[in-house]
Amino acid sequence: MTMNVLADGLRLDLGFVDYVVLVVYFAFVVGIGFWLKRTVKTGEDFLLSGRSTAAWVAGLAFLSANLGAQELIGMGASGAKYGLMTAQFYWLGAIPAMVFVGVFMIPFYYGSRARSVPEYLKLRFDEKTRALNACSFAVMTIFSSGVSMYALARLLEILLGWNFHFSLAASGAVVLAYTFLGGLTAAIYNEVLQFFLIVLGFLPLALLGLRDVGGWNGLVAKLNGVAASEGFSGGAWTTSARHLTHATDNPMGVEWFSMVAGLGFVLSFGYWCTDFLVIQRAMSANSMSAARRVPLIAAVPKMLLPFVVILPGMVAIALTHHAQTSGTGFRIPTDAAGATDYNMAVPALLGHYFPQGLLGLGLTALMASFMSGMAGNVTAFNTVWTYDIYQSYIRPGQTDAHYLNMGRFATVFGILASAAAAYAASKFNNIMDLLQLVFAFVNAPLFATFLLGMFWKRSTGHGAFFGLLAGTAAAAVHHGVTLPLGATVGAKGGWLIGRAAHAYQSEMAQSFWTAIWAFGACFTATVVVSLLTRRQKADDELRGLVYSLTPKVVDEHPRWYGQPGFLGVVILIAMGSLIALFW
């Protein structure tokens, strides 16, 4: 393998073995689509996988659908930019919500036989609430898929010298091929394959990087040097929660309240409990018991992923700091403006460590993550478009074959729209910052709606609808009058008044507070409007949709240690132990 230093990074020349690995992977994923095409006979088969998936398969797909570009590139970038505190996106920012959705919320989704999250909102509230959520969710999935497409095209452009636009088109074509043929089932089986590829491709990177910096103690010492150079105390890059007293104490620029309330509660529960992208995988399970175990199965590897995806980013910034002080060595590439391009930390590290053959495996793992994210979002988009928009408002009463064809058309449109969204992602040097901002606008107010809808029977359709509008408006206003430090007015904020009424320490801190304001506004507006309006549905219509009116679910698992409640407690204890260990 040869590497030629470019102005913005490292150019890699792949060997014959590397190309063979890539070609075999592409052929295999498309082949899965062809193989599963024979099982797709109805719209439900294509869009919902016929509710026939085993719990462990759905569990890995539940995890892998979220293990896209935002994980491998975004979390690696955040590991370099913010340090080990990024692990809270997996621990505090995922595990409690995954336990909650498995124990409490899956029975409502699965038991109601709703085909999507917006359809649940129709059953619980009314049509206008469903329409509003369907439209906002469709936009969010396109943006998320676009982030994956952008990250992959950028990777291929920087590392391999491929044309950005060609790379964008090629990645979209491969995902389109297998999702168009096999639908959700093809996406799920490819997501399971992609999970194992990601672990096999990135675990060696983490181990090689850790060895190169002198083990964990050597990494801590080097990152303490990074912290000192940035004006932080020692441990700012290597502890998970110790430096949260003030926003100025850590590189993420957040304090304990915004971390716990913004990430740990609003963004976390808002994503894992209401995002149809992941809920769809649980709803594909073959029974209620299996569906409840899906997020709990996914939570176990989720807790350990920081050591695979965040650790390489921490190694990259440690090596970059050493190179800056010594004049030689590995450096994270810079963008066109000369600033550190954190999105390229992990890809550049692949080129630094991996020889031919292993490099092909590493690049395949990266591409698998991008395609996993793209396919997950596109399959969620085509379901919501077909059932919640097209069938409900444009062409109701058509045959199942008609909606199957529309689902396939929506898949094509979703890929094309994602390509357009990919260009918007180029404005951010850390795609995780962009994704958290999108989630703050969409998922944060939606979680308030679900929380009240499932646990307060007095909440009304009018309350839910105006609550969602109020939450989204609050997010827009907050973003429009604030800016991260050093940012200019525009895509990162301040656009409402042409300046910043308040400056946050980082983009992430701004996103956390945007989510808090959105959740608070939606919750308050929903309560107030619900109290001022009449209930539209009687108790009988809400059975299976509201917790107090639904009989307690008796899990079908024959063993006590397989019960969701017990598994949830064990998982939460394990999460708390990890936070304490790296406190």
Side-chain angles (χ1 to χ4, degrees):
M1 178 183 66
T2 59
M3 292 180 289
N4 307 309
V5 179
L6 300 178
D8 56 354
L10 295 171
R11 176 70 53 82
L12 307 180
D13 293 330
L14 298 183
F16 176 75
V17 176
D18 299 315
Y19 280 110
V20 168
V21 172
L22 289 173
V23 170
V24 168
Y25 168 71
F26 287 135
F28 197 81
V29 296
V30 175
I32 288 177
F34 276 103
W35 179 60
L36 291 172
K37 185 178 185 294
R38 58 187 173 81
T39 67
V40 178
K41 296 180 174 63
T42 68
E44 185 172 278
D45 292 336
F46 184 78
L47 298 168
L48 297 176
S49 194
R51 291 201 171 187
S52 60
T53 311
W56 74 269
V57 173
L60 289 180
F62 187 95
L63 173 64
S64 190
N66 179 252
L67 196 57
Q70 63 264 45
E71 295 286 321
L72 294 192
I73 297 298
M75 287 301 183
S78 293
K81 190 174 182 179
Y82 303 129
L84 189 61
M85 195 174 291
T86 306
Q88 294 295 4
F89 280 93
Y90 294 83
W91 300 336
L92 183 66
I95 303 304
M98 294 171 79
V99 170
F100 183 81
V101 72
V103 174
F104 293 105
M105 297 189 76
I106 290 299
F108 295 107
Y109 287 129
Y110 199 92
S112 69
R113 301 296 295 181
R115 296 168 298 182
S116 67
V117 169
E119 188 168 51
Y120 172 85
L121 289 175
K122 171 197 170 182
L123 297 173
R124 173 59 185 90
F125 293 113
D126 55 24
E127 280 285 359
K128 63 180 181 295
T129 306
R130 172 205 210 172
L132 178 60
N133 175 242
C135 292
S136 61
F137 178 78
V139 171
M140 185 186 73
T141 54
I142 292 301
F143 267 100
S144 296
S145 181
V147 165
S148 295
M149 293 186 77
Y150 162 75
L152 178 55
R154 174 71 173 153
L155 165 78
L156 298 177
E157 180 187 33
I158 294 296
L159 293 187
L160 304 181
W162 293 5
N163 179 270
F164 178 86
H165 309 290
F166 168 79
S167 301
L168 209 65
S171 62
V174 172
V175 173
L176 176 61
Y178 71 78
T179 53
F180 185 87
L181 292 167
L184 178 61
T185 304
I188 286 175
Y189 279 96
N190 270 310
E191 284 161 1
V192 174
L193 167 68
Q194 287 154 352
F195 169 77
F196 289 110
L197 271 175
I198 287 164
V199 173
L200 288 173
F202 276 77
L203 186 58
L205 183 64
L207 296 176
L208 287 171
L210 198 59
R211 184 195 65 179
D212 198 25
V213 296
W216 178 254
N217 291 333
L219 179 63
V220 169
K222 287 180 173 59
L223 289 176
N224 283 343
V226 175
S229 69
E230 297 290 334
F232 297 108
S233 60
W237 256 263
T238 54
T239 57
S240 66
R242 191 178 304 166
H243 298 270
L244 287 173
T245 304
H246 301 289
T248 54
D249 292 343
N250 59 81
M252 194 175 286
V254 300
E255 80 304 328
W256 70 268
F257 181 80
S258 61
M259 175 66 79
V260 173
L263 174 62
F265 181 61
V266 178
L267 284 171
S268 172
F269 281 72
Y271 177 79
W272 293 103
C273 297
T274 69
D275 196 314
F276 185 56
L277 166 64
V278 290
I279 297 298
Q280 186 181 33
R281 273 68 189 157
M283 291 172 68
S284 74
N286 55 22
S287 69
M288 171 74 80
S289 179
R292 296 183 74 193
R293 293 197 303 275
V294 164
L296 302 176
I297 291 170
V300 177
K302 182 74 173 178
M303 279 189 287
L304 303 177
L305 278 175
F307 306 108
V308 177
V309 299
I310 293 175
L311 191 57
M314 296 170 63
V315 169
I317 197 66
L319 293 175
T320 297
H321 176 71
H322 176 75
Q324 290 170 342
T325 54
S326 65
T328 60
F330 170 87
R331 295 171 185 254
I332 299 174
T334 56
D335 59 20
T340 300
D341 189 351
Y342 293 103
N343 289 329
M344 295 307 299
V346 171
L349 209 63
L350 280 174
H352 183 69
Y353 283 118
F354 281 10
Q356 286 186 7
L358 194 57
L359 178 62
L361 179 61
L363 287 174
T364 300
L366 272 179
M367 292 183 182
S369 75
F370 304 136
M371 294 182 183
S372 174
M374 290 164 60
N377 281 287
V378 169
T379 53
F381 169 81
N382 64 21
T383 303
V384 169
W385 166 262
T386 302
Y387 285 146
D388 295 297
I389 299 176
Y390 184 78
Q391 184 183 35
S392 298
Y393 307 112
I394 301 175
R395 293 290 299 277
Q398 301 300 306
T399 64
D400 183 75
H402 179 87
Y403 294 125
L404 172 59
N405 291 331
M406 174 48 63
R408 287 200 163 108
F409 169 78
T411 304
V412 177
F413 175 79
I415 292 290
L416 294 175
S418 298
Y423 291 96
S426 63
K427 302 297 182 182
F428 288 72
N429 70 353
N430 181 354
I431 58 177
M432 200 63 198
D433 292 337
L434 171 60
L435 287 170
Q436 293 308 310
L437 182 61
V438 173
F439 293 156
F441 271 77
V442 179
N443 291 57
L446 181 60
F447 175 55
T449 303
F450 267 87
L451 197 64
L452 290 168
M454 286 187 171
F455 297 100
W456 186 43
K457 69 178 184 179
R458 181 64 181 80
S459 57
T460 67
H462 297 312
F465 179 77
F466 287 105
L468 285 173
L469 288 178
T472 304
V477 170
H478 180 265
H479 185 258
V481 300
T482 63
L483 271 173
L485 285 176
T488 57
V489 172
K492 293 189 177 183
W495 47 269
L496 191 61
I497 57 176
R499 59 183 178 82
H502 178 77
Y504 288 100
Q505 292 294 315
S506 68
E507 290 95 334
M508 198 67 74
Q510 182 192 36
S511 295
F512 286 179
W513 277 103
T514 300
I516 291 171
W517 279 102
F519 175 87
C522 180
F523 191 96
T524 302
T526 302
V527 170
V528 171
V529 176
S530 293
L531 292 175
L532 295 176
T533 55
R534 184 177 302 172
R535 282 182 61 188
Q536 299 146 299
K537 297 192 176 185
D539 286 359
D540 286 344
E541 297 177 88
L542 298 179
R543 297 195 191 282
L545 303 171
V546 176
Y547 187 79
S548 63
L549 300 176
T550 302
K552 184 179 179 182
V553 176
V554 178
D555 197 86
E556 303 163 9
H557 199 281
R559 307 293 183 187
W560 59 270
Y561 51 78
Q563 299 291 319
F566 175 79
L567 292 174
V569 170
V570 172
I571 290 168
L572 289 175
I573 291 173
M575 177 207 73
S577 301
L578 284 171
I579 293 177
L581 181 63
F582 293 97
W583 182 267

